[in-house]
Amino acid sequence: MAGLGRSSRGASGKRGAASSSSSSVSSSSAAASACVYYATTAVLVTLCVAGAYFLTSASSASLAGSVVDGDGGGGGGGGGTVTTTYRHTTRSSFAYEVSRPERKAPPAPPRDVERVDDAAAARGRIADEEGAEEEHGDGDDDPRGKPDLDDHGADEEETKSAVAAMDDAQRREEDGSVSSSEANAEEEEAAATTGARRVRVGEDEEEAAREESQELHLQMPLGESRPRAAAAVEEKSLDGGVEEESNAGQRQREEEQIDHGVDGGASLRREAQEEGQIGEGYVMADHGEGEEMLLEQQQQQPEEERGGDAEAARTSESDAGGEVDPEDKPTVSERTEEMVDTLPGEEDRAEVSATGVDEQNAWATQADHSHQEKDRRDEAAGVDDNIADATAGGGGGGEEPEWRLCNVKAGPDYIPCLDNDKAIKKLRPENYRRYEHRERHCPDEGPTCLVPLPAGYRRPIEWPKSRDRVWYSNVPHTKLVEVKGHQNWVKVSGQYLTFPGGGTQFIHGALHYIDFLQQSARGIAWGKRTRVVLDVGCGVASFGGYLFDRDVVAMSFAPKDEHEAQVQMALERGIPAISAVMGSKRLPFPSKVFDLVHCARCRVPWHADGGALLLELNRVLRPGGFFVWSATPVYQKLTEDVQIWKAMTALTKSMCWELVAIKKDRLNGIGAAFYRKPTSNECYETRRRQQPPMCSDDDDADVAWYIRLNACMHRVPVAPSDRGAAWPAEWPRRLRAPPHWLNASRAGVYGKPAPEDFAVDYDHWRRVVDRSYLNGLGIDWSRVRNVMDMRATYGGFAAAMRDHKIWVMNVVNVDAADTLPIIFERGLIGMYHDWCESFSTYPRTYDLLHADRLFSKIKERCAVLPVVVEVDRIVRPGGSIVVRDDSGAVGEVERLLRSLHWDVRLTFSKNGEALLYAEKSDWRPELLADPL
């Protein structure tokens, strides 16, 4: 109503001015009437110009956020064009950039009648604005409302402007610049007012159309195509336009704003980026033929476009402070063609979850059968608590955690599940006798503090030099030097720890010892028949380190005990190893998977507790596989050794192990006994005493996660279709061929017949690795040795990396399909693990982590925040992580990694799938957490 009143007053003022001017013509001279007319007109013009100025300045901010081609009028879609490019930077490799043609300012209007038209149009906009203000209430909160001036100040400004306008009007009259009549002035003024209102209505409709376009986009599936202008509007609103990647604070604020306002947060920002490229001709790889289609489209792409992409990448790299060799950096299309490659049928597949076994014998999981035997938390309550922690503790919200250093006695060597002093203090004396104090005792909630770096930490030495020496400052422990130095385990040499390659049983080097073992039992056949080895009580793992020369991979383990950091030294050298102990629970491996088990003075009491520990080796040893025992009871005649030998002889006979040979190595002065596990059940059935007893039928040999040892034996599979009934194909053929026991009548993890599922997975990862990981991520593979696949399925990623100088720890999650036996059957290594807990390794022991659809699965069970902290713990400074997941999960991980000062080098998304590559920095916080 206020707006309408002002409009009425304005209209009546015009009529009054016209009538007074008419009467003055008849009663006064022409000069006097002109003065009155120009004075009145000047006041009105001044008011309109002032209103238009404030209105224009207030609305320019909102208009700047929209991408509108052309001059914004009602013209047809013409105007400028929107081009999209990716920038490959050290901060965010595919930062999206929206560039527009430079808009020329419209020509300045003449200073005569057109100025009056603009003033009338401005008056119309002011009237409409005031009407909207009255309709919606007080307009103080509206950024397009009244200027922030009080009435008194506005009146003074209007008075001064009126005086100046009158002087200007008189000068123009004297110059003869205005000669229109009163009637023409009124008609022009009315026409300008009507036109201004039409323009205002058109702008309102255009703005509403833009808002409706944005809302429609958010509801539209990501795979659908959209008009380029609408996509550009969304890209502007989601990504904030062109920005400097180094401005981390501004970027964080924008991402948090998106997180609160749009479902999916930063993921939608990346998805908007991808849609722009799809509009430029990028095609999605589809069911095996997509790669060829993609390559054809790239070949048909104009040379200038490919050159522009490469130039953009080079420019952004130079902006980041580094020089770029054009030959070293592939083009954008080459880098991204397989980033989010999907398996055939993956869009509608349903992975088997921990819901039990159906009538088709679907894949079981460790979580289906394993009984949690830790006193850590009630399972049902734990899920609710973890979900709450994910929201309140930084796992899913937009609040950045306050990082602190862990305050623990273990310091830089902290392993949360092995250094839980509170849980260890609750153990009884009999628990210590079974080495339960060396087993896993995870805290109720995953730690969210960060492990400090040791003083003087340096980036690790590259393989193969690292097998012989590492930086002393990285593993500053000397106890093994003092105790085992004479056995050539490890020595101190200046700033290095050196490893001569010796061990307690092979002080003259591991290679000679390895050859001695094969010559003693030719059925071993290193690198052909024997590919996967378990090394018990590995020390610094020189045995496993030199088995690589024989094309053998060894899973080495030793406890975290008074022999300081033996597993940490092994991993620092680039040799596979985990911290574990043979105590009261099963090892985290399925049954019948290791081709050979080795123990060289491993100090394990095999004959104790009814032979429970040796029976655990029997569980994991493949039928027909060797157990090599290189220990003093084999060749020494001391009283204790003789007693142990008799006990071991009786135990191995009752287990039906065949003593193949006892050989002595004259160079090292040691002997070794070679046992072979039976391939049939005949011996078990003919024993006079059923000790150890056979396990009950409901005792699943493959269940291993937190399952207590049982001093019994499982029967050997004999049916041709059973796993373990036949030896795998020789290496490397076993890597590529589906296991013989993978039945086609059984559905695989992805829903296809199991052998076909296996083949599809293998081809998929070969494409991804060859076309993207090796060249497209910017990874310096010469510095990568220790790799972990955090959620392996068939081991396809590790198989694709076979020809490179790395090893891969394949982790099969306890709540995922139990495919770990397939991984071992292929000649690869791995273990079970629950990522809601800490991994059994030292800090800073992996160069690269690979997480394929891990975090979206973790969110269903526990908080993401502690998992990201665990990633930060086990990755070396300078190491990296590759995350492939849905866009929401990747966005959440990206936010946490950035807060940890990781260098996010690449983010990319397509159709709801996203990929992230980030590198860990040397940053550590200064604050100290409360004692754990």
Side-chain angles (χ1 to χ4, degrees):
M1 295 300 295
L4 293 175
R6 291 172 186 170
S7 300
S8 301
R9 288 194 298 270
S12 63
K14 295 175 189 178
R15 289 192 296 270
S19 61
S20 62
S21 299
S22 176
S23 61
S24 62
V25 170
S26 60
S27 61
S28 307
S29 64
S33 62
C35 290
V36 174
Y37 169 76
Y38 288 128
T40 305
T41 303
V43 171
L44 294 175
V45 168
T46 303
L47 291 175
C48 294
V49 170
Y53 171 78
F54 290 127
L55 179 62
T56 303
S57 60
S59 62
S60 60
S62 62
L63 292 176
S66 304
V67 180
V68 181
D69 293 341
D71 295 332
T81 60
V82 179
T83 60
T84 59
T85 60
Y86 284 105
R87 295 186 293 124
H88 191 278
T89 69
T90 58
R91 298 294 300 173
S92 181
S93 291
F94 288 109
Y96 198 72
E97 194 171 297
V98 180
S99 57
R100 306 173 189 78
E102 184 176 344
R103 297 183 179 180
K104 298 181 179 180
R111 301 184 61 181
D112 49 8
V113 181
E114 291 183 8
R115 178 174 305 195
V116 180
D117 293 345
D118 292 340
R123 280 202 305 275
R125 286 194 294 270
I126 292 175
D128 291 344
E129 189 68 24
E130 291 172 346
E133 220 176 274
E134 183 68 19
E135 180 180 353
H136 295 288
D138 189 13
D140 293 341
D141 296 333
D142 188 355
R144 297 172 298 178
K146 296 177 292 186
D148 189 15
L149 294 173
D150 55 31
D151 296 337
H152 180 71
D155 291 341
E156 291 180 353
E157 289 290 326
E158 291 171 2
T159 303
K160 294 178 181 179
S161 301
V163 173
M166 290 176 65
D167 295 339
D168 185 60
Q170 291 178 357
R171 286 194 298 271
R172 290 202 306 273
E173 182 185 17
E174 293 172 359
D175 295 337
S177 60
V178 178
S179 60
S180 61
S181 65
E182 299 167 2
N184 290 338
E186 289 182 2
E187 291 176 0
E188 291 171 355
E189 193 171 321
T193 303
T194 304
R197 290 179 178 174
R198 290 177 179 172
V199 171
R200 178 60 183 173
V201 171
E203 291 177 352
D204 292 342
E205 292 177 352
E206 184 178 351
E207 184 176 355
R210 286 196 299 270
E211 294 175 354
E212 182 179 357
S213 173
Q214 292 181 352
E215 294 176 358
L216 182 61
H217 164 74
L218 296 179
Q219 300 171 2
M220 185 181 298
L222 291 174
E224 296 183 10
S225 60
R226 292 162 292 165
R228 183 176 302 176
V233 170
E234 182 202 351
E235 290 153 4
K236 179 67 178 179
S237 62
L238 290 178
D239 196 43
V242 180
E243 62 179 4
E244 289 296 327
E245 289 295 322
S246 59
N247 191 351
Q250 179 67 20
R251 180 183 177 90
Q252 181 69 17
R253 288 191 296 272
E254 292 174 355
E255 291 178 353
E256 290 176 1
Q257 182 178 2
I258 296 171
D259 287 338
H260 290 298
V262 180
D263 183 25
S267 64
L268 285 180
R269 171 173 53 82
R270 289 188 299 276
E271 289 160 7
Q273 298 169 1
E274 169 57 20
E275 291 297 329
Q277 187 170 351
I278 292 176
E280 295 296 330
Y282 190 90
V283 297
M284 177 66 177
D286 184 28
H287 293 225
E289 298 180 359
E291 290 77 16
E292 289 75 9
M293 295 171 59
L294 183 61
L295 292 175
E296 290 178 4
Q297 181 136 358
Q298 291 170 354
Q299 292 171 0
Q300 296 172 2
Q301 186 181 13
E303 285 293 327
E304 58 271 16
E305 290 186 16
R306 292 199 295 270
D309 289 342
E311 182 63 28
R314 288 193 296 270
T315 303
S316 59
E317 284 287 355
S318 62
D319 292 341
E323 297 181 359
V324 179
D325 187 350
E327 297 180 358
D328 294 339
K329 297 292 183 181
T331 63
V332 171
S333 59
E334 292 172 344
R335 284 197 303 270
T336 61
E337 63 183 22
E338 293 294 335
M339 292 301 180
V340 284
D341 180 32
T342 57
L343 290 172
E346 190 175 46
E347 58 276 358
D348 57 359
R349 69 184 173 127
E351 272 195 26
V352 176
S353 60
T355 57
V357 181
D358 61 13
E359 64 277 7
Q360 295 182 348
N361 193 21
W363 295 98
T365 71
Q366 287 291 310
D368 288 337
H369 304 291
S370 294
H371 304 289
Q372 301 296 327
E373 299 184 8
K374 304 180 304 166
D375 183 18
R376 64 187 192 272
R377 65 177 180 264
D378 179 77
E379 184 176 353
V383 173
D384 296 336
D385 293 342
N386 285 326
I387 294 175
D389 292 342
T391 303
E399 184 177 350
E400 182 175 318
E402 182 182 23
W403 300 113
R404 295 174 179 268
L405 290 177
C406 296
N407 188 359
V408 291
K409 291 191 300 183
D413 298 334
Y414 179 47
I415 305 177
C417 290
L418 299 182
D419 294 317
N420 189 353
D421 294 335
K422 294 181 180 179
I424 294 174
K425 290 178 181 178
K426 297 178 181 179
L427 297 177
R428 299 177 179 179
E430 58 267 25
N431 301 127
Y432 282 81
R433 184 180 66 83
R434 295 183 178 181
Y435 292 90
E436 292 185 45
H437 60 295
R438 305 294 186 194
E439 293 180 330
R440 293 170 59 85
H441 300 279
C442 297
D444 293 341
E445 298 179 0
T448 56
C449 58
L450 306 182
V451 177
L453 296 176
Y457 181 84
R458 306 176 69 171
R459 299 292 170 89
I461 297 173
E462 299 175 11
W463 180 269
K465 294 180 180 179
S466 62
R467 184 172 63 181
D468 301 326
R469 63 180 184 178
V470 301
W471 298 113
Y472 171 77
S473 58
N474 291 6
V475 194
H477 300 291
T478 59
K479 188 167 185 178
L480 281 178
V481 176
E482 299 166 3
V483 177
K484 301 293 185 179
H486 66 287
Q487 297 175 350
N488 286 332
W489 280 33
V490 57
K491 298 179 181 294
V492 176
S493 178
Q495 58 185 342
Y496 300 105
L497 290 175
T498 60
F499 301 89
T504 303
Q505 299 297 94
F506 44 92
I507 60 176
H508 295 289
L511 281 177
H512 168 79
Y513 176 75
I514 291 170
D515 291 338
F516 157 72
L517 296 183
Q518 178 161 304
Q519 293 167 5
S520 302
R522 296 190 178 275
I524 291 177
W526 297 123
K528 294 182 178 180
R529 186 176 188 271
T530 299
R531 162 65 183 174
V532 185
V533 170
L534 179 66
D535 188 18
V536 183
C538 62
V540 295
S542 289
F543 177 70
Y546 283 91
L547 276 175
F548 281 110
D549 293 345
R550 301 294 186 265
D551 221 359
V552 176
V553 60
M555 173 73 76
S556 302
F557 76 91
K560 186 178 183 181
D561 58 9
E562 60 274 7
H563 284 171
E564 289 178 329
Q566 38 191 340
V567 167
Q568 187 179 23
M569 291 182 179
L571 289 163
E572 186 73 15
R573 297 174 68 185
I575 303 171
I578 60 170
S579 291
V581 65
M582 297 200 70
S584 66
K585 297 180 179 65
R586 288 180 177 178
L587 296 171
F589 312 116
S591 66
K592 309 179 293 290
V593 291
F594 289 101
D595 304 334
L596 181 144
V597 178
H598 174 257
C599 167
R601 291 282 292 272
C602 50
R603 300 193 307 162
V604 177
W606 299 117
H607 59 285
D609 297 323
L613 301 183
L614 194 62
L615 290 168
E616 172 62 4
L617 294 189
N618 183 74
R619 183 184 71 87
V620 300
L621 182 61
R622 188 183 302 279
F626 285 97
F627 172 61
V628 179
W629 189 34
S630 173
T632 55
V634 177
Y635 57 92
Q636 289 188 359
K637 301 302 179 182
L638 299 177
T639 303
E640 182 182 4
D641 291 330
V642 171
Q643 292 176 350
I644 293 175
W645 175 253
K646 289 182 178 180
M648 278 289 290
T649 300
L651 178 61
T652 54
K653 283 184 177 179
S654 65
M655 293 171 57
C656 296
W657 281 11
E658 177 190 1
L659 180 58
V660 176
I662 299 177
K663 297 292 183 178
K664 187 171 183 179
D665 178 18
R666 297 186 180 276
L667 177 63
N668 290 305
I670 59 97
F674 299 81
Y675 298 91
R676 176 180 283 167
K677 181 178 177 178
T679 56
S680 70
N681 296 304
E682 296 178 3
C683 176
Y684 298 148
E685 297 169 354
T686 58
R687 292 181 301 164
R688 288 184 299 176
R689 295 180 65 251
Q690 294 294 318
Q691 291 295 331
M694 303 304 295
C695 296
S696 61
D697 294 337
D698 60 353
D699 189 334
D700 190 344
D702 291 327
V703 179
W705 189 245
Y706 287 115
I707 296 298
R708 296 189 70 83
L709 292 179
N710 190 9
C712 65
M713 294 185 298
H714 296 87
R715 292 186 176 275
V716 173
V718 293
S721 60
D722 290 344
R723 180 174 67 85
W727 201 266
E730 286 191 355
W731 177 266
R733 189 157 52 91
R734 66 191 285 185
L735 180 72
R736 303 184 297 269
H740 74 278
W741 45 267
L742 208 55
N743 198 331
S745 62
R746 184 182 187 184
V749 174
Y750 305 130
K752 297 180 179 297
E756 183 181 348
D757 232 29
F758 176 95
V760 166
D761 182 82
Y762 182 44
D763 293 338
H764 163 75
W765 286 112
R766 282 197 306 168
R767 291 195 307 270
V768 171
V769 168
D770 292 344
R771 299 187 182 185
S772 296
Y773 286 9
L774 295 181
N775 300 311
L777 299 184
I779 300 174
D780 184 1
W781 288 99
S782 65
R783 302 191 65 87
V784 175
R785 173 63 181 173
N786 303 349
V787 178
M788 178 189 293
D789 192 354
M790 299 178 71
R791 190 172 180 271
T793 303
Y794 294 115
F797 168 70
M801 300 298 299
R802 168 189 171 260
D803 295 330
H804 303 276
K805 295 180 180 180
I806 68 169
W807 62 270
V808 179
M809 176 68 77
N810 293 280
V811 177
V812 172
N813 291 229
V814 297
D815 63 326
D818 187 2
T819 55
L820 192 54
I822 300 176
I823 292 173
F824 276 98
E825 193 82 2
R826 304 182 73 174
L828 306 171
I829 59 172
M831 61 181 290
Y832 297 119
H833 183 61
D834 183 358
W835 283 111
C836 292
E837 301 177 356
S838 173
F839 195 79
S840 294
T841 189
Y842 281 82
R844 305 171 303 279
T845 48
Y846 281 87
D847 300 303
L848 175 68
L849 301 186
H850 181 255
D852 180 40
R853 291 170 177 81
L854 170 72
F855 292 97
S856 58
K857 298 292 184 181
I858 284 293
K859 292 173 66 174
E860 302 172 0
R861 302 176 57 245
C862 56
V864 171
L865 175 61
V867 183
V868 174
V869 172
E870 179 67 3
V871 167
D872 183 81
R873 186 184 73 87
I874 66 180
V875 173
R876 294 168 169 172
S880 54
I881 185 172
V882 176
V883 181
R884 299 165 58 94
D885 217 314
D886 63 61
S887 298
V890 172
E892 187 174 347
V893 173
E894 179 186 3
R895 180 181 61 81
L896 291 172
L897 290 179
R898 288 186 183 277
S899 70
L900 286 166
H901 295 254
W902 281 52
D903 186 6
V904 178
R905 305 291 298 276
L906 178 148
T907 56
F908 183 84
S909 69
K910 173 189 291 185
N911 297 343
E913 301 289 327
L915 180 141
L916 176 144
Y917 169 64
E919 293 183 359
K920 181 180 176 180
S921 67
D922 296 327
W923 177 83
R924 295 287 90 177
E926 298 180 357
L927 299 175
L928 194 65
D930 295 333
L932 294 177

